[in-house]
Amino acid sequence: MFSIVNPMPLYSQRITPQQAIQISLQRIPGQVLHVDMDMDNGTLVYEVFILTSQNRIYEVEVNAKTGIIRKIEEENDFD
């Protein structure tokens, strides 16, 4: 019989990339191009890049712990 132990300490529990995508698509509908994880001013965030039907690319920054959207900005050049 196997016992699965969560190797992650409680402080590092966070939303999944899929949850970050769902949260982002609720605000900016479109096609997800890319998802990154980054530190922004000491906060772990998912950066979800979305291509809209108007061919605009938006970056939606989602707090990786709370799932709250921190920032939405249109990308003028995809970096």
Side-chain angles (χ1 to χ4, degrees):
M1 177 179 230
F2 289 100
S3 173
I4 299 175
V5 177
N6 184 357
M8 298 276 203
L10 289 177
Y11 68 84
S12 67
Q13 288 186 354
R14 56 183 173 248
I15 66 171
T16 66
Q18 292 79 13
Q19 289 170 314
I21 289 169
Q22 289 174 344
I23 292 165
S24 299
L25 289 174
Q26 288 174 1
R27 291 289 298 276
I28 305 290
Q31 175 188 348
V32 175
L33 299 176
H34 188 72
V35 179
D36 276 333
M37 182 172 267
D38 198 11
M39 284 294 257
D40 184 29
N41 294 323
T43 302
L44 194 60
V45 296
Y46 287 104
E47 298 172 335
V48 182
F49 294 88
I50 300 171
L51 176 66
T52 68
S53 59
Q54 294 82 27
N55 285 327
R56 294 185 172 167
I57 296 174
Y58 286 87
E59 176 189 351
V60 181
E61 198 172 276
V62 181
N63 183 307
K65 186 170 183 150
T66 65
I68 294 172
I69 293 176
R70 292 172 48 103
K71 174 172 64 174
I72 298 174
E73 63 184 18
E74 185 172 357
E75 294 291 296
N76 294 325
D77 57 337
F78 189 72
D79 48 8

